[in-house]
Amino acid sequence: MEDEEASENAISTLSSIATSSLLQIHWTGIPHVDELESLGCLLFYEVDVHKMHTHPTLKNMKFDIIIFNFPHAGHYPHLRDRDLGLIEMHKELVEAYFKSASMMLTKGGEVHMTHREDSPYDSWNIVLLAAKAGLSLKDKVDFNKSDYPGYHNKRGGGVNTNKSFSIMLMYRRFQKKKWKI
């Protein structure tokens, strides 16, 4: 019963990965998608973080927690993760996520993000981007893969797709600065 109650207010979005390409690119994730579906979670594909709050199904829903694990604006042959142009694209993506997600929270709700802490990812200034959306850092904890049995981080795009990589991660929780009564 507790799992059923928890799943009533749970949502997972798999950004811009259609089911067929998910099988091809990240085939190891299929059991996780199947498990989420069996728990009654709503799974949405190709949700634009810039306008999640206006999505036809999501716009009238409020959530206790909204999670974005490892945001990334994509891979481009002419750009590396340390290039300023790509860093700006990443920051714009994260800021848009915070703004849209902050409009979809229940009172006391939280926005979570798992993010790399090493260079150049630390230059994204996640806490500042959250503040621009009216969110403040509630806490920051180490992300321990061992807390998630079967979890393996994967690269996206065409760069060593479906291969894991070494990471220094922090899991951050944000909440609205002030709730209006």
Side-chain angles (χ1 to χ4, degrees):
M1 182 66 178
E2 203 170 274
D3 285 339
E4 288 175 20
E5 290 175 330
S7 69
E8 286 179 18
N9 201 16
I11 185 167
S12 176
T13 60
L14 303 174
S15 61
S16 68
I17 300 175
T19 306
S20 61
S21 63
L22 179 66
L23 284 168
Q24 293 172 347
I25 297 172
H26 295 293
W27 53 269
T28 58
I30 297 304
H32 303 290
V33 170
D34 291 343
E35 181 179 358
L36 289 169
E37 287 175 341
S38 74
L39 292 170
C41 292
L42 297 172
L43 299 178
F44 293 89
Y45 300 86
E46 299 185 30
V47 174
D48 183 346
V49 299
H50 295 84
K51 47 189 174 184
M52 292 185 303
H53 64 286
T54 63
H55 183 277
T57 304
L58 302 175
K59 68 182 177 186
N60 296 317
M61 299 173 80
K62 296 291 182 186
F63 300 94
D64 298 319
I65 299 171
I66 302 174
I67 303 170
F68 195 168
N69 287 323
F70 313 110
H72 199 281
H75 296 280
Y76 301 89
H78 62 286
L79 294 174
R80 304 188 78 145
D81 279 344
R82 67 176 176 264
D83 291 340
L84 290 178
L86 187 54
I87 289 170
E88 289 303 314
M89 283 190 267
H90 292 318
K91 289 168 68 172
E92 191 275 329
L93 174 75
V94 170
E95 184 176 352
Y97 162 71
F98 282 137
K99 285 180 179 174
S100 191
S102 69
M103 293 184 243
M104 301 171 66
L105 295 174
T106 59
K107 184 174 182 179
E110 299 175 349
V111 175
H112 295 192
M113 181 174 289
T114 306
H115 184 262
R116 290 179 65 168
E117 282 272 296
D118 54 335
S119 181
Y121 309 98
D122 56 350
S123 67
W124 295 13
N125 300 314
I126 298 294
V127 175
L128 177 63
L129 297 175
K132 288 181 175 182
L135 300 168
S136 62
L137 182 64
K138 182 175 180 180
D139 62 8
K140 177 170 104 167
V141 298
D142 289 332
F143 179 88
N144 297 310
K145 279 179 36 171
S146 61
D147 293 340
Y148 304 91
Y151 174 79
H152 301 284
N153 59 306
K154 303 290 181 181
R155 293 186 182 276
V159 182
N160 296 316
T161 299
N162 213 35
K163 292 190 178 180
S164 190
F165 53 93
S166 172
I167 49 177
M168 295 171 41
L169 295 172
M170 296 306 291
Y171 188 72
R172 300 168 191 234
R173 298 187 316 166
F174 298 89
Q175 60 189 15
K176 284 199 176 187
K177 290 181 184 178
K178 291 182 182 178
W179 284 98
K180 296 176 183 170
I181 299 176

